[in-house]
Amino acid sequence: MSGGDTTRLVAWADEMRRVHGRLREALAVTRAAVSDGVPAPTATRELLLFCHGFCTALAGHHEGEDHDLFPAITARHPELAETVGKLTQDHSMIAYLLTALRAAVDRAAPPEDLDRHLEGVAAIMESHFRYEERVLLPVLETLDLDADPRTALGPL
């Protein structure tokens, strides 16, 4: 294996770390927009931007994993099928929470309601990311997958 191949293989683990970091940052910015106490019309516009951007990015990340990355992992590591199944279930739960968050933003819910939605998303997302990183990063360091990271891990 040449040095270029090693770099490409390890890049999957590095890319997942970067994507998770960006999503964590996007959530922090979104939560800050809720807690800033900006007058309602301005806050609503900012929240629409932050929440919809964050929701779209997180959903895109999970869709990429479900359609591209996870099948490649289970094809090469069938022993991880149950783990990948649990991660996919997490994606469904997070999608449900994101739908509720979007609805709250769209109806201009009070900040305390939005914060409650964001807290729920944050708790599940962080637990999911930590588990995924603990279990999948070692696999991703050796995964030979010929795919665009923006497709397999989302367009971040």
mmCIF file of all heavy atoms in Angstrom, residues 51-104:
data_model
loop_
_atom_site.group_PDB
_atom_site.id
_atom_site.type_symbol
_atom_site.label_atom_id
_atom_site.label_comp_id
_atom_site.label_asym_id
_atom_site.label_seq_id
_atom_site.Cartn_x
_atom_site.Cartn_y
_atom_site.Cartn_z
ATOM 1 N N CYS A 51 -31.689 27.172 12.328
ATOM 2 C CA CYS A 51 -32.329 25.867 12.546
ATOM 3 C C CYS A 51 -32.494 25.096 11.253
ATOM 4 O O CYS A 51 -32.191 23.906 11.204
ATOM 5 C CB CYS A 51 -33.682 26.028 13.230
ATOM 6 S SG CYS A 51 -33.529 26.432 14.983
ATOM 7 N N HIS A 52 -32.972 25.769 10.224
ATOM 8 C CA HIS A 52 -33.149 25.038 8.970
ATOM 9 C C HIS A 52 -31.807 24.611 8.387
ATOM 10 O O HIS A 52 -31.680 23.507 7.857
ATOM 11 C CB HIS A 52 -33.976 25.854 7.973
ATOM 12 C CG HIS A 52 -35.428 25.874 8.314
ATOM 13 N ND1 HIS A 52 -36.214 24.752 8.279
ATOM 14 C CD2 HIS A 52 -36.236 26.868 8.731
ATOM 15 C CE1 HIS A 52 -37.446 25.051 8.643
ATOM 16 N NE2 HIS A 52 -37.484 26.346 8.935
ATOM 17 N N GLY A 53 -30.806 25.462 8.504
ATOM 18 C CA GLY A 53 -29.475 25.078 8.030
ATOM 19 C C GLY A 53 -28.921 23.899 8.817
ATOM 20 O O GLY A 53 -28.411 22.933 8.243
ATOM 21 N N PHE A 54 -29.028 23.974 10.133
ATOM 22 C CA PHE A 54 -28.547 22.887 10.980
ATOM 23 C C PHE A 54 -29.322 21.602 10.705
ATOM 24 O O PHE A 54 -28.729 20.532 10.533
ATOM 25 C CB PHE A 54 -28.666 23.276 12.467
ATOM 26 C CG PHE A 54 -28.471 22.103 13.385
ATOM 27 C CD1 PHE A 54 -27.216 21.543 13.560
ATOM 28 C CD2 PHE A 54 -29.553 21.539 14.037
ATOM 29 C CE1 PHE A 54 -27.039 20.444 14.384
ATOM 30 C CE2 PHE A 54 -29.388 20.446 14.862
ATOM 31 C CZ PHE A 54 -28.131 19.899 15.041
ATOM 32 N N CYS A 55 -30.655 21.695 10.656
ATOM 33 C CA CYS A 55 -31.481 20.505 10.426
ATOM 34 C C CYS A 55 -31.150 19.861 9.083
ATOM 35 O O CYS A 55 -31.036 18.637 8.989
ATOM 36 C CB CYS A 55 -32.971 20.855 10.492
ATOM 37 S SG CYS A 55 -33.552 21.298 12.149
ATOM 38 N N THR A 56 -30.975 20.679 8.065
ATOM 39 C CA THR A 56 -30.647 20.160 6.735
ATOM 40 C C THR A 56 -29.277 19.484 6.739
ATOM 41 O O THR A 56 -29.105 18.404 6.165
ATOM 42 C CB THR A 56 -30.690 21.299 5.699
ATOM 43 O OG1 THR A 56 -32.020 21.840 5.685
ATOM 44 C CG2 THR A 56 -30.318 20.811 4.310
ATOM 45 N N ALA A 57 -28.310 20.100 7.402
ATOM 46 C CA ALA A 57 -26.961 19.527 7.452
ATOM 47 C C ALA A 57 -26.951 18.204 8.207
ATOM 48 O O ALA A 57 -26.346 17.222 7.748
ATOM 49 C CB ALA A 57 -25.998 20.520 8.108
ATOM 50 N N LEU A 58 -27.620 18.151 9.350
ATOM 51 C CA LEU A 58 -27.631 16.919 10.144
ATOM 52 C C LEU A 58 -28.382 15.814 9.404
ATOM 53 O O LEU A 58 -27.917 14.666 9.350
ATOM 54 C CB LEU A 58 -28.251 17.171 11.516
ATOM 55 C CG LEU A 58 -28.219 16.003 12.496
ATOM 56 C CD1 LEU A 58 -26.799 15.485 12.721
ATOM 57 C CD2 LEU A 58 -28.850 16.421 13.831
ATOM 58 N N ALA A 59 -29.508 16.157 8.798
ATOM 59 C CA ALA A 59 -30.267 15.156 8.029
ATOM 60 C C ALA A 59 -29.431 14.646 6.850
ATOM 61 O O ALA A 59 -29.397 13.439 6.579
ATOM 62 C CB ALA A 59 -31.590 15.742 7.546
ATOM 63 N N GLY A 60 -28.739 15.538 6.162
ATOM 64 C CA GLY A 60 -27.895 15.132 5.035
ATOM 65 C C GLY A 60 -26.762 14.217 5.469
ATOM 66 O O GLY A 60 -26.417 13.257 4.771
ATOM 67 N N HIS A 61 -26.198 14.496 6.624
ATOM 68 C CA HIS A 61 -25.135 13.646 7.165
ATOM 69 C C HIS A 61 -25.666 12.236 7.408
ATOM 70 O O HIS A 61 -25.056 11.245 6.991
ATOM 71 C CB HIS A 61 -24.601 14.265 8.461
ATOM 72 C CG HIS A 61 -23.683 13.381 9.241
ATOM 73 N ND1 HIS A 61 -22.469 12.936 8.750
ATOM 74 C CD2 HIS A 61 -23.798 12.847 10.486
ATOM 75 C CE1 HIS A 61 -21.883 12.173 9.660
ATOM 76 N NE2 HIS A 61 -22.665 12.097 10.720
ATOM 77 N N HIS A 62 -26.795 12.130 8.051
ATOM 78 C CA HIS A 62 -27.353 10.813 8.367
ATOM 79 C C HIS A 62 -27.833 10.078 7.124
ATOM 80 O O HIS A 62 -27.664 8.857 7.019
ATOM 81 C CB HIS A 62 -28.467 10.946 9.400
ATOM 82 C CG HIS A 62 -27.932 11.289 10.749
ATOM 83 N ND1 HIS A 62 -28.686 11.870 11.728
ATOM 84 C CD2 HIS A 62 -26.691 11.150 11.287
ATOM 85 C CE1 HIS A 62 -27.946 12.067 12.809
ATOM 86 N NE2 HIS A 62 -26.729 11.639 12.553
ATOM 87 N N GLU A 63 -28.396 10.794 6.158
ATOM 88 C CA GLU A 63 -28.807 10.146 4.908
ATOM 89 C C GLU A 63 -27.610 9.571 4.174
ATOM 90 O O GLU A 63 -27.665 8.458 3.635
ATOM 91 C CB GLU A 63 -29.550 11.142 4.020
ATOM 92 C CG GLU A 63 -30.933 11.482 4.537
ATOM 93 C CD GLU A 63 -31.550 12.693 3.859
ATOM 94 O OE1 GLU A 63 -30.963 13.221 2.881
ATOM 95 O OE2 GLU A 63 -32.629 13.126 4.322
ATOM 96 N N GLY A 64 -26.504 10.320 4.142
ATOM 97 C CA GLY A 64 -25.289 9.832 3.500
ATOM 98 C C GLY A 64 -24.754 8.578 4.180
ATOM 99 O O GLY A 64 -24.360 7.614 3.514
ATOM 100 N N GLU A 65 -24.753 8.592 5.501
ATOM 101 C CA GLU A 65 -24.299 7.406 6.224
ATOM 102 C C GLU A 65 -25.210 6.213 5.920
ATOM 103 O O GLU A 65 -24.726 5.111 5.649
ATOM 104 C CB GLU A 65 -24.300 7.670 7.737
ATOM 105 C CG GLU A 65 -23.168 8.554 8.191
ATOM 106 C CD GLU A 65 -23.183 8.775 9.695
ATOM 107 O OE1 GLU A 65 -24.250 8.691 10.338
ATOM 108 O OE2 GLU A 65 -22.096 9.056 10.227
ATOM 109 N N ASP A 66 -26.523 6.425 6.001
ATOM 110 C CA ASP A 66 -27.472 5.325 5.780
ATOM 111 C C ASP A 66 -27.370 4.741 4.374
ATOM 112 O O ASP A 66 -27.481 3.527 4.199
ATOM 113 C CB ASP A 66 -28.912 5.803 6.028
ATOM 114 C CG ASP A 66 -29.203 6.095 7.486
ATOM 115 O OD1 ASP A 66 -28.399 5.708 8.365
ATOM 116 O OD2 ASP A 66 -30.248 6.733 7.753
ATOM 117 N N HIS A 67 -27.149 5.601 3.370
ATOM 118 C CA HIS A 67 -27.179 5.130 1.981
ATOM 119 C C HIS A 67 -25.828 4.684 1.437
ATOM 120 O O HIS A 67 -25.771 3.823 0.570
ATOM 121 C CB HIS A 67 -27.749 6.221 1.077
ATOM 122 C CG HIS A 67 -29.200 6.519 1.320
ATOM 123 N ND1 HIS A 67 -29.820 6.347 2.528
ATOM 124 C CD2 HIS A 67 -30.161 6.980 0.501
ATOM 125 C CE1 HIS A 67 -31.086 6.691 2.451
ATOM 126 N NE2 HIS A 67 -31.327 7.090 1.238
ATOM 127 N N ASP A 68 -24.745 5.279 1.932
ATOM 128 C CA ASP A 68 -23.427 4.991 1.359
ATOM 129 C C ASP A 68 -22.445 4.363 2.344
ATOM 130 O O ASP A 68 -21.864 3.320 2.060
ATOM 131 C CB ASP A 68 -22.804 6.282 0.790
ATOM 132 C CG ASP A 68 -23.586 6.834 -0.375
ATOM 133 O OD1 ASP A 68 -23.899 6.057 -1.289
ATOM 134 O OD2 ASP A 68 -23.889 8.044 -0.373
ATOM 135 N N LEU A 69 -22.263 5.011 3.478
ATOM 136 C CA LEU A 69 -21.226 4.569 4.398
ATOM 137 C C LEU A 69 -21.594 3.282 5.127
ATOM 138 O O LEU A 69 -20.808 2.331 5.161
ATOM 139 C CB LEU A 69 -20.929 5.680 5.410
ATOM 140 C CG LEU A 69 -19.748 5.428 6.331
ATOM 141 C CD1 LEU A 69 -18.445 5.326 5.527
ATOM 142 C CD2 LEU A 69 -19.644 6.535 7.369
ATOM 143 N N PHE A 70 -22.779 3.228 5.722
ATOM 144 C CA PHE A 70 -23.149 2.052 6.513
ATOM 145 C C PHE A 70 -23.213 0.769 5.685
ATOM 146 O O PHE A 70 -22.724 -0.271 6.142
ATOM 147 C CB PHE A 70 -24.455 2.292 7.266
ATOM 148 C CG PHE A 70 -24.332 3.255 8.422
ATOM 149 C CD1 PHE A 70 -25.465 3.664 9.103
ATOM 150 C CD2 PHE A 70 -23.105 3.757 8.852
ATOM 151 C CE1 PHE A 70 -25.383 4.545 10.177
ATOM 152 C CE2 PHE A 70 -23.008 4.636 9.920
ATOM 153 C CZ PHE A 70 -24.158 5.034 10.581
ATOM 154 N N PRO A 71 -23.772 0.787 4.469
ATOM 155 C CA PRO A 71 -23.735 -0.448 3.672
ATOM 156 C C PRO A 71 -22.305 -0.912 3.366
ATOM 157 O O PRO A 71 -22.024 -2.110 3.377
ATOM 158 C CB PRO A 71 -24.484 -0.077 2.390
ATOM 159 C CG PRO A 71 -25.405 1.022 2.802
ATOM 160 C CD PRO A 71 -24.625 1.808 3.841
ATOM 161 N N ALA A 72 -21.397 0.046 3.142
ATOM 162 C CA ALA A 72 -20.003 -0.320 2.882
ATOM 163 C C ALA A 72 -19.369 -0.940 4.129
ATOM 164 O O ALA A 72 -18.617 -1.921 4.030
ATOM 165 C CB ALA A 72 -19.211 0.912 2.445
ATOM 166 N N ILE A 73 -19.692 -0.401 5.280
ATOM 167 C CA ILE A 73 -19.144 -0.943 6.524
ATOM 168 C C ILE A 73 -19.670 -2.351 6.767
ATOM 169 O O ILE A 73 -18.898 -3.270 7.061
ATOM 170 C CB ILE A 73 -19.473 -0.018 7.722
ATOM 171 C CG1 ILE A 73 -18.651 1.261 7.618
ATOM 172 C CG2 ILE A 73 -19.209 -0.730 9.050
ATOM 173 C CD1 ILE A 73 -19.029 2.336 8.613
ATOM 174 N N THR A 74 -20.972 -2.556 6.646
ATOM 175 C CA THR A 74 -21.524 -3.890 6.928
ATOM 176 C C THR A 74 -21.108 -4.912 5.874
ATOM 177 O O THR A 74 -20.996 -6.096 6.197
ATOM 178 C CB THR A 74 -23.061 -3.855 7.071
ATOM 179 O OG1 THR A 74 -23.636 -3.294 5.902
ATOM 180 C CG2 THR A 74 -23.474 -3.069 8.297
ATOM 181 N N ALA A 75 -20.845 -4.465 4.655
ATOM 182 C CA ALA A 75 -20.361 -5.397 3.629
ATOM 183 C C ALA A 75 -18.971 -5.922 3.983
ATOM 184 O O ALA A 75 -18.674 -7.095 3.752
ATOM 185 C CB ALA A 75 -20.332 -4.711 2.262
ATOM 186 N N ARG A 76 -18.145 -5.066 4.555
ATOM 187 C CA ARG A 76 -16.782 -5.468 4.898
ATOM 188 C C ARG A 76 -16.648 -5.976 6.329
ATOM 189 O O ARG A 76 -15.696 -6.667 6.654
ATOM 190 C CB ARG A 76 -15.838 -4.285 4.666
ATOM 191 C CG ARG A 76 -15.664 -3.991 3.173
ATOM 192 C CD ARG A 76 -15.102 -2.611 2.957
ATOM 193 N NE ARG A 76 -14.981 -2.235 1.577
ATOM 194 C CZ ARG A 76 -15.949 -1.701 0.832
ATOM 195 N NH1 ARG A 76 -17.149 -1.513 1.341
ATOM 196 N NH2 ARG A 76 -15.739 -1.380 -0.420
ATOM 197 N N HIS A 77 -17.610 -5.597 7.167
ATOM 198 C CA HIS A 77 -17.581 -5.987 8.587
ATOM 199 C C HIS A 77 -18.980 -6.442 9.015
ATOM 200 O O HIS A 77 -19.676 -5.722 9.741
ATOM 201 C CB HIS A 77 -17.120 -4.812 9.465
ATOM 202 C CG HIS A 77 -15.749 -4.345 9.170
ATOM 203 N ND1 HIS A 77 -14.634 -4.950 9.718
ATOM 204 C CD2 HIS A 77 -15.282 -3.342 8.381
ATOM 205 C CE1 HIS A 77 -13.552 -4.326 9.273
ATOM 206 N NE2 HIS A 77 -13.916 -3.362 8.464
ATOM 207 N N PRO A 78 -19.402 -7.631 8.578
ATOM 208 C CA PRO A 78 -20.758 -8.092 8.903
ATOM 209 C C PRO A 78 -21.018 -8.189 10.409
ATOM 210 O O PRO A 78 -22.160 -8.091 10.844
ATOM 211 C CB PRO A 78 -20.862 -9.457 8.230
ATOM 212 C CG PRO A 78 -19.539 -9.761 7.646
ATOM 213 C CD PRO A 78 -18.660 -8.562 7.758
ATOM 214 N N GLU A 79 -19.966 -8.323 11.185
ATOM 215 C CA GLU A 79 -20.133 -8.378 12.642
ATOM 216 C C GLU A 79 -20.657 -7.060 13.215
ATOM 217 O O GLU A 79 -21.119 -7.009 14.354
ATOM 218 C CB GLU A 79 -18.807 -8.773 13.317
ATOM 219 C CG GLU A 79 -17.726 -7.707 13.330
ATOM 220 C CD GLU A 79 -16.913 -7.562 12.032
ATOM 221 O OE1 GLU A 79 -17.252 -8.212 11.021
ATOM 222 O OE2 GLU A 79 -15.932 -6.804 12.038
ATOM 223 N N LEU A 80 -20.611 -5.988 12.421
ATOM 224 C CA LEU A 80 -21.098 -4.684 12.872
ATOM 225 C C LEU A 80 -22.537 -4.401 12.428
ATOM 226 O O LEU A 80 -23.045 -3.298 12.655
ATOM 227 C CB LEU A 80 -20.178 -3.572 12.361
ATOM 228 C CG LEU A 80 -18.786 -3.538 12.984
ATOM 229 C CD1 LEU A 80 -17.929 -2.460 12.325
ATOM 230 C CD2 LEU A 80 -18.870 -3.315 14.484
ATOM 231 N N ALA A 81 -23.202 -5.386 11.837
ATOM 232 C CA ALA A 81 -24.561 -5.161 11.329
ATOM 233 C C ALA A 81 -25.521 -4.709 12.434
ATOM 234 O O ALA A 81 -26.320 -3.791 12.242
ATOM 235 C CB ALA A 81 -25.094 -6.413 10.643
ATOM 236 N N GLU A 82 -25.438 -5.323 13.600
ATOM 237 C CA GLU A 82 -26.330 -4.928 14.706
ATOM 238 C C GLU A 82 -26.020 -3.503 15.176
ATOM 239 O O GLU A 82 -26.928 -2.711 15.427
ATOM 240 C CB GLU A 82 -26.200 -5.908 15.864
ATOM 241 C CG GLU A 82 -27.189 -5.642 16.981
ATOM 242 C CD GLU A 82 -27.099 -6.680 18.098
ATOM 243 O OE1 GLU A 82 -26.664 -7.818 17.852
ATOM 244 O OE2 GLU A 82 -27.464 -6.319 19.231
ATOM 245 N N THR A 83 -24.756 -3.174 15.275
ATOM 246 C CA THR A 83 -24.345 -1.831 15.675
ATOM 247 C C THR A 83 -24.827 -0.800 14.668
ATOM 248 O O THR A 83 -25.375 0.239 15.038
ATOM 249 C CB THR A 83 -22.813 -1.760 15.812
ATOM 250 O OG1 THR A 83 -22.409 -2.660 16.840
ATOM 251 C CG2 THR A 83 -22.333 -0.361 16.125
ATOM 252 N N VAL A 84 -24.635 -1.085 13.393
ATOM 253 C CA VAL A 84 -25.080 -0.174 12.343
ATOM 254 C C VAL A 84 -26.604 -0.043 12.385
ATOM 255 O O VAL A 84 -27.141 1.055 12.190
ATOM 256 C CB VAL A 84 -24.576 -0.639 10.959
ATOM 257 C CG1 VAL A 84 -25.267 0.097 9.827
ATOM 258 C CG2 VAL A 84 -23.060 -0.448 10.874
ATOM 259 N N GLY A 85 -27.303 -1.129 12.683
ATOM 260 C CA GLY A 85 -28.752 -1.068 12.832
ATOM 261 C C GLY A 85 -29.165 -0.122 13.948
ATOM 262 O O GLY A 85 -30.127 0.649 13.798
ATOM 263 N N LYS A 86 -28.446 -0.144 15.056
ATOM 264 C CA LYS A 86 -28.747 0.762 16.172
ATOM 265 C C LYS A 86 -28.465 2.216 15.783
ATOM 266 O O LYS A 86 -29.225 3.122 16.135
ATOM 267 C CB LYS A 86 -27.930 0.375 17.409
ATOM 268 C CG LYS A 86 -28.391 -0.912 18.048
ATOM 269 C CD LYS A 86 -27.511 -1.313 19.210
ATOM 270 C CE LYS A 86 -27.955 -2.654 19.768
ATOM 271 N NZ LYS A 86 -27.097 -3.140 20.834
ATOM 272 N N LEU A 87 -27.391 2.431 15.051
ATOM 273 C CA LEU A 87 -27.074 3.788 14.603
ATOM 274 C C LEU A 87 -28.141 4.303 13.632
ATOM 275 O O LEU A 87 -28.528 5.476 13.688
ATOM 276 C CB LEU A 87 -25.689 3.821 13.951
ATOM 277 C CG LEU A 87 -24.520 3.605 14.907
ATOM 278 C CD1 LEU A 87 -23.227 3.358 14.136
ATOM 279 C CD2 LEU A 87 -24.372 4.781 15.865
ATOM 280 N N THR A 88 -28.636 3.421 12.778
ATOM 281 C CA THR A 88 -29.698 3.793 11.848
ATOM 282 C C THR A 88 -30.983 4.138 12.617
ATOM 283 O O THR A 88 -31.696 5.076 12.260
ATOM 284 C CB THR A 88 -29.940 2.660 10.833
ATOM 285 O OG1 THR A 88 -28.704 2.408 10.140
ATOM 286 C CG2 THR A 88 -31.004 3.032 9.821
ATOM 287 N N GLN A 89 -31.268 3.384 13.679
ATOM 288 C CA GLN A 89 -32.427 3.710 14.523
ATOM 289 C C GLN A 89 -32.257 5.086 15.160
ATOM 290 O O GLN A 89 -33.221 5.853 15.251
ATOM 291 C CB GLN A 89 -32.616 2.658 15.617
ATOM 292 C CG GLN A 89 -33.190 1.360 15.125
ATOM 293 C CD GLN A 89 -33.298 0.326 16.246
ATOM 294 O OE1 GLN A 89 -32.513 0.318 17.197
ATOM 295 N NE2 GLN A 89 -34.280 -0.550 16.127
ATOM 296 N N ASP A 90 -31.044 5.385 15.603
ATOM 297 C CA ASP A 90 -30.773 6.723 16.143
ATOM 298 C C ASP A 90 -31.082 7.789 15.095
ATOM 299 O O ASP A 90 -31.644 8.840 15.418
ATOM 300 C CB ASP A 90 -29.298 6.874 16.542
ATOM 301 C CG ASP A 90 -28.931 6.214 17.847
ATOM 302 O OD1 ASP A 90 -29.822 5.674 18.533
ATOM 303 O OD2 ASP A 90 -27.722 6.241 18.184
ATOM 304 N N HIS A 91 -30.709 7.527 13.858
ATOM 305 C CA HIS A 91 -30.974 8.493 12.792
ATOM 306 C C HIS A 91 -32.473 8.764 12.669
ATOM 307 O O HIS A 91 -32.893 9.907 12.484
ATOM 308 C CB HIS A 91 -30.428 7.995 11.447
ATOM 309 C CG HIS A 91 -28.937 7.965 11.389
ATOM 310 N ND1 HIS A 91 -28.248 7.455 10.305
ATOM 311 C CD2 HIS A 91 -27.985 8.383 12.268
ATOM 312 C CE1 HIS A 91 -26.949 7.558 10.521
ATOM 313 N NE2 HIS A 91 -26.764 8.120 11.712
ATOM 314 N N SER A 92 -33.278 7.711 12.775
ATOM 315 C CA SER A 92 -34.738 7.880 12.708
ATOM 316 C C SER A 92 -35.241 8.719 13.876
ATOM 317 O O SER A 92 -36.102 9.589 13.700
ATOM 318 C CB SER A 92 -35.436 6.521 12.710
ATOM 319 O OG SER A 92 -35.134 5.819 11.544
ATOM 320 N N MET A 93 -34.709 8.463 15.065
ATOM 321 C CA MET A 93 -35.121 9.226 16.244
ATOM 322 C C MET A 93 -34.723 10.695 16.093
ATOM 323 O O MET A 93 -35.512 11.599 16.390
ATOM 324 C CB MET A 93 -34.494 8.649 17.511
ATOM 325 C CG MET A 93 -34.942 9.347 18.764
ATOM 326 S SD MET A 93 -34.175 8.798 20.317
ATOM 327 C CE MET A 93 -33.583 7.175 19.980
ATOM 328 N N ILE A 94 -33.522 10.943 15.617
ATOM 329 C CA ILE A 94 -33.054 12.311 15.424
ATOM 330 C C ILE A 94 -33.888 13.005 14.347
ATOM 331 O O ILE A 94 -34.240 14.182 14.495
ATOM 332 C CB ILE A 94 -31.542 12.343 15.109
ATOM 333 C CG1 ILE A 94 -30.750 11.906 16.350
ATOM 334 C CG2 ILE A 94 -31.101 13.720 14.642
ATOM 335 C CD1 ILE A 94 -29.276 11.640 16.110
ATOM 336 N N ALA A 95 -34.239 12.296 13.288
ATOM 337 C CA ALA A 95 -35.089 12.873 12.239
ATOM 338 C C ALA A 95 -36.438 13.302 12.817
ATOM 339 O O ALA A 95 -36.956 14.371 12.480
ATOM 340 C CB ALA A 95 -35.283 11.877 11.102
ATOM 341 N N TYR A 96 -36.991 12.491 13.696
ATOM 342 C CA TYR A 96 -38.260 12.828 14.349
ATOM 343 C C TYR A 96 -38.104 14.107 15.182
ATOM 344 O O TYR A 96 -38.938 15.019 15.121
ATOM 345 C CB TYR A 96 -38.711 11.662 15.232
ATOM 346 C CG TYR A 96 -39.933 11.953 16.053
ATOM 347 C CD1 TYR A 96 -41.205 11.879 15.493
ATOM 348 C CD2 TYR A 96 -39.815 12.324 17.391
ATOM 349 C CE1 TYR A 96 -42.332 12.168 16.248
ATOM 350 C CE2 TYR A 96 -40.933 12.609 18.151
ATOM 351 C CZ TYR A 96 -42.184 12.529 17.578
ATOM 352 O OH TYR A 96 -43.295 12.821 18.319
ATOM 353 N N LEU A 97 -37.019 14.195 15.946
ATOM 354 C CA LEU A 97 -36.766 15.381 16.764
ATOM 355 C C LEU A 97 -36.538 16.623 15.903
ATOM 356 O O LEU A 97 -36.986 17.725 16.251
ATOM 357 C CB LEU A 97 -35.562 15.149 17.680
ATOM 358 C CG LEU A 97 -35.729 14.076 18.756
ATOM 359 C CD1 LEU A 97 -34.403 13.808 19.459
ATOM 360 C CD2 LEU A 97 -36.801 14.468 19.751
ATOM 361 N N LEU A 98 -35.858 16.454 14.770
ATOM 362 C CA LEU A 98 -35.624 17.584 13.871
ATOM 363 C C LEU A 98 -36.927 18.071 13.244
ATOM 364 O O LEU A 98 -37.121 19.276 13.056
ATOM 365 C CB LEU A 98 -34.620 17.210 12.777
ATOM 366 C CG LEU A 98 -33.182 16.984 13.236
ATOM 367 C CD1 LEU A 98 -32.316 16.546 12.067
ATOM 368 C CD2 LEU A 98 -32.611 18.221 13.907
ATOM 369 N N THR A 99 -37.826 17.146 12.933
ATOM 370 C CA THR A 99 -39.131 17.527 12.391
ATOM 371 C C THR A 99 -39.900 18.366 13.405
ATOM 372 O O THR A 99 -40.497 19.393 13.060
ATOM 373 C CB THR A 99 -39.939 16.273 11.996
ATOM 374 O OG1 THR A 99 -39.213 15.578 10.975
ATOM 375 C CG2 THR A 99 -41.322 16.627 11.487
ATOM 376 N N ALA A 100 -39.863 17.951 14.661
ATOM 377 C CA ALA A 100 -40.535 18.713 15.718
ATOM 378 C C ALA A 100 -39.880 20.082 15.904
ATOM 379 O O ALA A 100 -40.569 21.089 16.110
ATOM 380 C CB ALA A 100 -40.521 17.921 17.023
ATOM 381 N N LEU A 101 -38.555 20.150 15.819
ATOM 382 C CA LEU A 101 -37.850 21.421 15.932
ATOM 383 C C LEU A 101 -38.227 22.351 14.784
ATOM 384 O O LEU A 101 -38.528 23.522 15.004
ATOM 385 C CB LEU A 101 -36.332 21.188 15.950
ATOM 386 C CG LEU A 101 -35.450 22.436 15.870
ATOM 387 C CD1 LEU A 101 -35.698 23.378 17.045
ATOM 388 C CD2 LEU A 101 -33.974 22.038 15.802
ATOM 389 N N ARG A 102 -38.211 21.832 13.568
ATOM 390 C CA ARG A 102 -38.601 22.649 12.409
ATOM 391 C C ARG A 102 -40.007 23.207 12.582
ATOM 392 O O ARG A 102 -40.265 24.372 12.286
ATOM 393 C CB ARG A 102 -38.528 21.828 11.122
ATOM 394 C CG ARG A 102 -37.156 21.643 10.569
ATOM 395 C CD ARG A 102 -37.233 20.957 9.207
ATOM 396 N NE ARG A 102 -35.939 20.630 8.718
ATOM 397 C CZ ARG A 102 -35.486 19.387 8.547
ATOM 398 N NH1 ARG A 102 -36.245 18.355 8.827
ATOM 399 N NH2 ARG A 102 -34.279 19.184 8.086
ATOM 400 N N ALA A 103 -40.926 22.364 13.033
ATOM 401 C CA ALA A 103 -42.313 22.802 13.236
ATOM 402 C C ALA A 103 -42.371 23.905 14.290
ATOM 403 O O ALA A 103 -43.113 24.886 14.126
ATOM 404 C CB ALA A 103 -43.186 21.613 13.634
ATOM 405 N N ALA A 104 -41.612 23.773 15.354
ATOM 406 C CA ALA A 104 -41.594 24.799 16.399
ATOM 407 C C ALA A 104 -41.045 26.117 15.864
ATOM 408 O O ALA A 104 -41.570 27.196 16.165
ATOM 409 C CB ALA A 104 -40.778 24.313 17.598
#
